[in-house]
């Protein structure tokens, strides 16, 4: 069974990791980056240090895997940095530090970050400030436009279904002798958008997580696409358990026509694809119920392990200020989670035409997000759904079990994980 409880293991022997140990008088920031987020933060930290003599900010850049797998172990053992950039927003919320007393203008935070503040709070009635979303993200597809042009296959339109995209990309892959037609990131988070589009409610009327017929239909579709060769098998079948794997690497290398990933990859695509081929972001394909991705993003959060809570709060207050936040968003090619900047717009000085167009596609796609997508992202135990989905669907893909058994085990694993997490 998959459990959300992190038990002390051999990992505790290396708890210090790349982040070291936080000491009074300095701020250690554990950061991962999809593109240049940590690099930009390090530049901004120098300005904060200049304005706050005696305070040292250390940006520890680590792989995303360290954030997902090792940071929770650190925190459970009472060790960790002052600040971290995290994506398991609700799951780690019990470790967050309330910095309300250390921000200059509470109204500014409520006005500009109020829409997503609840994602970081440990309970619905809590009013604390624990950090802020460094950006909004949305899951969605990227397409190799050059391959479509070479194959002389028309690209499906804005309201096209997943079936229509599978058919089109298979034709392109065949005509261009490309290794794969389609791939999705090996992630239960990425899987959730199509599942909701295919009618998965995800939650019942009481707000309890459920694996219903819509979710089952998506599992059957996805496994079937692997069986008939529509999906590049290496992404999901190339790893075991619930380990994350992205599809962007295969896309950048020209091995797949279309991938399902997300807006956070724009900067990486701009940098790594360069002039190899033309790529575009396209709206999320439709199922019978919706055409939805999943909203989300990474958050800067203060942590109870901080030995410098006042300084940590001050640094987050600095990073959340409109001018600094706008600079971060513009340089990293991200969608702002700051409502004021979302209205005004953000300049993207380094964005090339493809990146600018992709930012527009993702920004406009926010309007098509299903209500269940927001509920899923804000659900404290969403990893109880995501992790067993990856494990069991992979087992069905490689033939270890049938689709029905996989769905049954996802449900059992999910229920067990939620019970364990609530203890």
């Amino acid at each position: 069974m998959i459990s959300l409880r992190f038990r002390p293991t051999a990992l505790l022997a290396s708890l210090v990791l790349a982040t070291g140990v936080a000491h009074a008088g300095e701020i250690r920031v554990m950061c991962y980056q999809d593109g240049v987020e940590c690099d930009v933060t390090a530049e901004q930290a120098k300005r904060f240090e200049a304005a706050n003599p005696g305070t040292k900010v250390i940006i520890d850049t680590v792989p995303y895997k360290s954030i997902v797998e090792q940071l929770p172990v650190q925190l459970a053992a009472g060790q960790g940095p002052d600040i971290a950039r995290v994506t398991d927003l609700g799951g780690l919320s019990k470790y967050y530090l309330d910095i309300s007393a250390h921000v200059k203008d509470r109204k500014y935070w409520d006005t500009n970050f109020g829409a997503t503040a609840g994602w970081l709070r440990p309970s619905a009635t809590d009013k604390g400030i624990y950090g802020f979303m460094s950006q909004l993200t949305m899951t969605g597809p990227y397409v190799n436009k050059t391959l479509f042009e070479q194959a002389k296959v028309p690209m499906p339109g804005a309201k096209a279904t997943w079936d229509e995209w599978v058919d089109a990309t298979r034709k392109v892959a065949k005509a261009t002798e490309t290794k794969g037609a389609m791939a999705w990131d090996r992630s239960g988070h990425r899987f959730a958008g199509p599942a909701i589009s295919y009618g998965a409610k995800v939650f019942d009327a009481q707000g309890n997580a459920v694996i219903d017929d819509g979710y089952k239909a998506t599992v059957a579709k996805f496994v079937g696409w692997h069986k008939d060769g529509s999906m590049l098998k290496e992404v999901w079948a190339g790893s075991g358990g619930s380990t994350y794997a992205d599809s962007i690497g295969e896309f950048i290398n020209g091995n797949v026509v279309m991938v399902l990933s997300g807006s956070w990859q724009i900067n990486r695509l701009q940098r790594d694809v360069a002039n190899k081929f033309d790529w575009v972001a396209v709206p999320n394909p439709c199922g019978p119920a919706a055409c939805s991705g999943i909203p989300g993003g990474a958050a800067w959060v203060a942590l109870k392990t901080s030995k410098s809570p006042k300084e940590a709060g001050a640094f987050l207050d600095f990073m959340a200020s409109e001018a600094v936040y706008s600079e971060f968003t513009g340089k990293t090619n991200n969608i702002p989670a700051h409502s004021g900047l979302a209205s005004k717009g953000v300049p993207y000085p380094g964005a090339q035409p493809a990146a600018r167009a992709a930012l527009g596609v993702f920004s406009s796609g926010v309007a098509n997000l299903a209500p269940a997508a927001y509920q899923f992202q804000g659900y404290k135990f969403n990893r109880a759904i995501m992790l067993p989905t990856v494990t069991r669907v992979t087992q069905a893909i490689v033939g270890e079990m049938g689709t029905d058994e996989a769905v049954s085990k996802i449900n059992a694993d999910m229920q067990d994980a939620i019970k364990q997490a609530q203890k």
Side-chain angles (χ1 to χ4, degrees):
M1 293 292 184
I2 293 173
S3 171
L4 289 192
R5 289 191 300 179
F6 290 92
R7 296 178 175 86
T9 66
L11 279 173
L12 293 178
S14 57
L15 275 174
V16 173
L17 299 173
T19 61
V21 177
H23 297 287
E26 70 180 22
I27 306 167
R28 298 204 74 105
V29 181
M30 189 177 187
C31 179
Y32 81 93
Q33 58 186 4
D34 298 301
V36 294
E37 288 85 354
C38 303
D39 300 335
V40 173
T41 302
E43 294 172 6
Q44 295 177 325
K46 291 177 183 176
R47 299 206 301 271
F48 176 80
E49 290 176 339
N52 295 270
T55 300
K56 177 69 175 175
V57 182
I58 302 170
I59 308 296
D60 294 309
T61 303
V62 301
Y64 179 62
K65 188 174 182 179
S66 295
I67 299 288
V68 174
E69 298 180 3
Q70 296 174 321
L71 176 63
V73 180
Q74 278 189 289
L75 297 175
Q79 301 184 43
D82 299 272
I83 294 169
R85 186 169 182 254
V86 303
T87 56
D88 184 12
L89 309 178
L92 296 177
S93 61
K94 63 183 177 182
Y95 301 116
Y96 300 163
L97 174 70
D98 187 355
I99 59 169
S100 301
H102 306 305
V103 303
K104 296 176 182 177
D105 185 354
R106 171 67 191 244
K107 185 178 179 181
Y108 168 85
W109 281 76
D110 290 343
T111 299
N112 292 294
F113 297 105
T116 54
W119 288 355
L120 306 181
R121 290 170 178 156
S123 70
T125 57
D126 192 288
K127 301 299 180 184
I129 295 176
Y130 297 91
F132 63 95
M133 299 300 294
S134 63
Q135 82 268 12
L136 272 182
T137 61
M138 189 175 77
T139 61
Y142 295 100
V143 174
N144 187 320
K145 183 182 177 184
T146 298
L147 289 176
F148 266 89
E149 292 171 346
Q150 290 174 348
K152 295 182 172 56
V153 173
M155 200 175 293
K159 293 294 184 180
T161 65
W162 276 109
D163 284 326
E164 288 171 330
W165 272 107
V166 167
D167 182 59
T169 55
R170 288 196 71 175
K171 290 177 181 176
V172 172
K174 183 178 180 180
T176 59
E177 297 184 346
T178 300
K179 187 176 180 181
M182 190 178 291
W184 295 359
D185 287 352
R186 191 174 195 265
S187 161
H189 185 264
R190 246 58 90 231
F191 188 90
I196 289 169
S197 297
Y198 272 98
K201 300 280 193 299
V202 188
F203 303 98
D204 63 19
Q206 288 72 45
N208 300 309
V210 294
I211 302 298
D212 57 13
D213 288 342
Y215 209 88
K216 182 178 179 178
T218 314
V219 172
K221 281 271 188 187
F222 191 57
V223 172
W225 288 331
H226 277 86
K227 299 285 189 183
D228 68 18
S230 299
M231 286 281 171
L232 188 66
K233 204 167 186 178
E234 287 86 342
V235 177
W236 277 64
S239 302
S242 59
T243 302
Y244 169 79
D246 74 31
S247 56
I248 286 292
E250 298 284 1
F251 184 73
I252 290 169
N253 290 329
N255 292 331
V256 65
V257 180
M258 179 181 187
V259 292
L260 176 59
S261 191
S263 58
W264 58 91
Q265 299 287 12
I266 291 174
N267 209 54
R268 181 178 170 189
L269 287 171
Q270 176 173 274
R271 181 192 68 212
D272 293 348
V273 173
N275 298 319
K276 294 177 186 176
F277 57 83
D278 292 329
W279 58 273
V280 294
V282 298
N284 274 290
C286 302
C291 312
S292 186
I294 301 293
W300 289 118
V301 295
L303 297 163
K304 291 177 181 177
T305 49
S306 175
K307 294 180 174 61
S308 305
K310 182 178 179 181
E311 290 83 356
F315 182 61
L316 287 178
D317 202 28
F318 166 79
M319 291 291 291
S321 64
E322 185 168 311
V324 176
Y325 192 95
S326 178
E327 178 189 38
F328 178 90
T329 303
K331 287 185 174 180
T332 59
N333 291 339
N334 277 306
I335 301 168
H338 183 293
S339 62
L341 288 171
S343 299
K344 295 178 184 178
V346 174
Y348 295 99
Q352 296 168 3
R356 287 180 184 274
L359 286 162
V361 169
F362 281 107
S363 295
S364 62
V366 172
N368 293 324
L369 293 171
Y374 283 99
Q375 191 176 4
F376 174 85
Q377 178 61 26
Y379 181 51
K380 189 173 183 178
F381 306 122
N382 60 19
R383 286 171 67 81
I385 306 170
M386 295 190 291
L387 298 185
T389 294
V390 173
T391 302
R392 301 307 185 178
V393 169
T394 299
Q395 289 179 304
I397 289 169
V398 300
E400 291 181 9
M401 62 180 65
T403 298
D404 288 348
E405 184 181 359
V407 171
S408 177
K409 287 184 178 296
I410 290 170
N411 185 59
D413 292 345
M414 178 190 74
Q415 299 297 343
D416 179 67
I418 291 173
K419 289 177 183 176
Q420 295 289 350
Q422 290 174 328
K423 287 184 178 179

